[in-house]
Amino acid sequence: ELVSTQSESEVVCDAPLGTYVLGVELCSETNTVYLNEPQARTLYLEFGDFGPGYLLGLVWAEAAERSRNSELTGEDRQLRNDCVVGAWVQSVTPSIDTGLLPEPRDPGRQSSISPGDLTEAIQTAIIIGDPTFDTNVLGSAFEKIDAFRDGVLDGPSACQ
C-alpha cells in the first residue's frame, strides 16, 4: 500500500526503513510505503516524474533486500538498492537495437521509461546522496550514480 503523507508524524510503523526526510519510508510490518509528498512534489517539479519514481524504486529495492534476508547494512545496502533500481530501469527501457542493453527485453511490458527519465534519476541521486564523500551512510552522489549505472547497463547480476 502506498500512503502519501505531509509529515513524518503520519508514518505509523514500529521500525520504518528508509529516510523520510529524503522522500520515502517503508514499513515492513504492514508492507506500507509512506511517501513524503512535499519532498516528492519538489523532486517532480524540479526534475520530472522520475524523481519520485526513483524514490519508489529504492523502497521496492529495500523490500527485495529484506525478502532475501540480506545482511548488508549502511552504505553498502543503499548502493545495492541504487543498483537494483538501475536493473529495474533496464527492464523498462524500450527496446532499441543500440547494442548497449541486452536483448530481448520483455516486449509485453506495459510500463516504460520516457526520454529524460535517466537524467531525472541521476539528478535525484545527487540530491539524496550523502552530503560529503566521507559520510558513508547513503553513498555519495558519485557512488549512487555509479551503482545505478551498473544496474542499468548490466542488470540484476551487477547488483550481487
Side-chain angles (χ1 to χ4, degrees), residues 3 5 7-16 20 25-34:
V3 176
T5 60
S7 73
E8 194 167 9
S9 65
E10 296 176 60
V11 175
V12 181
C13 186
D14 291 333
Y20 186 82
E25 199 84 66
L26 169 65
C27 184
S28 62
E29 303 106 57
T30 62
N31 288 323
T32 303
V33 173
Y34 293 94

Side-chain angles (χ1 to χ4, degrees), residues 26-27 40 42 50 60 67 78 92 94 97 112 114-115 148 154 159:
L26 169 65
C27 184
T42 297
F50 209 76
W60 168 78
S67 74
Q78 295 304 317
V92 295
D97 190 12
S112 67
S114 303
F148 175 76
D154 297 325
C159 306

